Amino acid sequence: MSDSAAASGANDSEAANDAKDVTVRFDCIALDCADPAGVARFYADLIGGTVRGEGDEDGDWFDVLWDGPRISTQLAPNHESPDWPRGQQQAHLDFVVADVASAHERVLALGGTALDPVEPPQPAPERGFRVYADPAGHPFCLCRPTREAWG
């Protein structure tokens, strides 16, 4: 490598170091709702997480911390829950569960609602997911981890 090429490479390196970091990283999924503390507690209890703090300084943002990506809840006083399946879905969370019957009962006990199907789980279902709503109406799914699960 010539001296001029080495110098040019050094200049390129210096320019790259001076450039701003434009890396985009996932932070959280934020759910709008009228009761951010209650919805955060629902997800923390469902997945075995904890709710961080008492919200932000305004009390309108809560974080659910667990071994997966952070779930946050944000106060939206006039929030209207998605009208799934009649309306558009917007977005939803998927959770993998080995024992769907126990997870179904847990969701209901925590204040969630079964949307599709509404009946209790039966052994060996054809479909590998069930749709629920959290207390604010956000849809989420309980999904089987493998095709053979829930048999």
Side-chain angles (χ1 to χ4, degrees), residues 66-135:
W66 61 303
D67 63 354
R70 185 166 52 107
I71 300 171
S72 300
T73 58
Q74 175 178 335
L75 177 64
N78 298 318
H79 176 260
E80 292 183 26
S81 64
D83 189 22
W84 188 92
R86 291 168 295 283
Q88 299 228 342
Q89 182 166 278
Q90 299 176 5
H92 72 279
L93 303 172
D94 283 349
F95 298 102
V96 175
V97 297
D99 180 351
V100 68
S102 295
H104 172 85
E105 292 304 320
R106 184 179 179 121
V107 166
L108 299 181
L110 293 170
T113 305
L115 297 179
D116 180 29
V118 296
E119 306 82 24
Q122 300 300 313
E126 279 187 40
R127 197 171 76 178
F129 66 95
R130 295 178 60 92
V131 184
Y132 296 84
D134 68 22

